[in-house]
Amino acid sequence: MSTMHSIIIVSKNQDLTTKTLNKIYSDNKIASIDQDANTFEKAVGIEDVRNVQKKLYFKPIRSREKAVVINTPQGIGIEAQNALLKILEEPPRNTFIVLVVKNKNSLLPTVLSRCKIIEMKNEPSFSEGELSELSETIESLESMGVGEKLRLAQDFGTSRDEALIFLEKMIILGRKKMTADSNEKSSLRILKEFQKIYAILKTTNATPRLTLEN
């Protein structure tokens, strides 16, 4: 048994997940042909786990060891987790099993106890052009008219998750602006407002769009 060969990556950020996986591959000299990534569009079920398990006993092609990744963006069911228990406790000697989840609290304690846990600092990533666009938004926020602000609330308040991601990004940019901006009081005021709105949405059932509008 080698618990070091069973790994859980806790991350909501795809870029950080990819970097962590690449480090595992690099540290253990696992060639790309021996990297088996499995991502599921729906919550991972017991049949998905069984299909992945069939791959665990294939021998590596170019490397001494291989990696089988189970990426669970929509979560993993309890039955599926129970099906993983034995293989996580006693993985094949030449195989790394990597389970990628967004929240470790969704996993059974028995699953967590069998794995090395790598928990990432989950700051959201900015897509191409998004950094510039959101920076302009935060720069012009105080001078915006009511109509423009309501449109922002409409665009980013369609769901709780979308609103929280938007606010996380604005908070990150607000912190950077406060560090660089000579008008520190204005930047601090904006940052505090974003943090207050984020806390409300995170801890209550408030409607995202109405909360952003307010």
Side-chain angles (χ1 to χ4, degrees), residues 5 23 65 96 109 114 129 132:
H5 276 60
K23 188 175 189 306
E65 296 175 299
F96 283 84
R114 285 162 170 77
S132 175

Side-chain angles (χ1 to χ4, degrees), residues 102-131:
K102 290 184 176 180
N103 187 346
K104 71 177 182 182
N105 295 328
S106 65
L107 297 177
L108 296 169
T110 44
V111 171
L112 294 171
S113 67
R114 285 162 170 77
C115 301
K116 174 184 178 181
I117 299 174
I118 302 174
E119 195 160 5
M120 310 304 298
K121 184 180 178 182
N122 289 307
E123 285 195 349
S125 58
F126 293 87
S127 60
E128 187 176 349
E130 189 178 28
L131 182 61

